[in-house]
Amino acid sequence: MKAIELQSPGGIDNLMMVERPTPEPGRQEMIVRVKATALNYRDVEIARGSYHTTFPLPLVPLSDGVGEVVAVGSEVSRFKVGDRVCGTFWQRWVGGSFAMAEPSYQRGGPIDGLLSEFARLDEQAAVIAPAQLSDVEAATLPCAAVTAWHALFTEGKLKPGETVLSLGTGGVSLFAVQLARAAGRARHCYVEQR
């Protein structure tokens, strides 16, 4: 399969198209044919070498993407071949406080990301993609949209009629405005560019 690897930090010039073996699923894993991916600022920092942590290289970048399940392991019960899924950023973190998230299970570093034809995902590391969204739209959900949702509704406990101020025009900021408006919770939404 074709994949793009970050072979050394320092920028996009260090991304190379390579051939890798097509992965096989373990007993609780599935193989996804990647249809679309999304670029987050974290991915840019990792490629530049300016992220707060370094990862072993080569590394397939990009934490966010959507694809179609093409194979499942013998013990997979949540998905079947043909399902359209989004990979999750925090692998194996399905609930509980943020302290339960294990940094060594982050997709796009240190675990290979989704910038490849196929990806192996643990069945706990995916969700069904929303049917009403295109592949490109669904690919943006796992990191930026979930971060905005968590900030507004889990931590922020946003209530009807409150005002939302979103700093910047990055993915998280724009998702915060859209989610607040869509939920009918925010009367006024402001985006402040820095």
Side-chain angles (χ1 to χ4, degrees):
M1 72 165 183
K2 288 182 176 45
I4 296 180
E5 288 180 345
L6 178 63
Q7 298 188 332
S8 62
I12 62 171
D13 291 339
N14 296 325
L15 294 170
M16 299 293 166
M17 177 84 74
V18 298
E19 284 289 330
R20 284 185 164 195
T22 301
E24 295 289 328
R27 64 181 205 279
Q28 294 179 316
E29 297 174 329
M30 57 191 173
I31 305 303
V32 173
R33 177 180 287 118
V34 179
K35 301 287 191 171
T37 56
L39 180 69
N40 291 295
Y41 190 70
R42 175 184 185 267
D43 303 312
V44 173
E45 285 187 318
I46 290 170
R48 284 183 185 153
S50 60
Y51 192 61
H52 66 82
T53 301
T54 59
F55 302 114
L57 300 176
L59 173 71
V60 175
L62 302 189
S63 59
D64 291 4
V66 67
E68 178 185 347
V69 176
V70 295
V72 295
S74 60
E75 295 179 21
V76 170
S77 61
R78 296 183 60 222
F79 301 99
K80 63 186 182 317
V81 170
D83 283 346
R84 189 168 153 259
V85 300
C86 294
T88 60
F89 174 70
W90 289 97
Q91 310 299 291
R92 300 183 186 171
W93 180 35
V94 295
S97 75
F98 187 69
M100 300 294 289
E102 173 54 53
S104 65
Y105 289 133
Q106 293 174 345
R107 186 155 302 283
I111 296 174
D112 276 338
L114 295 169
L115 199 53
S116 57
E117 289 183 286
F118 297 92
R120 180 178 26 233
L121 303 178
D122 185 289
E123 78 170 317
Q124 299 300 323
V127 296
I128 293 290
Q132 70 273 23
L133 298 181
S134 70
D135 290 339
V136 171
E137 291 166 332
T140 66
L141 296 176
C143 194
V146 171
T147 300
W149 176 269
H150 182 74
L152 288 174
F153 301 105
T154 304
E155 295 296 324
K157 298 180 181 25
L158 187 63
K159 295 175 183 59
E162 291 185 325
T163 298
V164 172
L165 171 63
S166 182
L167 296 175
T169 55
V172 175
S173 296
L174 294 178
F175 266 117
V177 170
Q178 292 178 74
L179 290 169
R181 281 296 235 194
R185 300 282 176 87
R187 184 179 65 235
H188 302 289
C189 293
Y190 300 98
V191 176
E192 181 177 298
Q193 267 186 301
R194 292 190 247 177

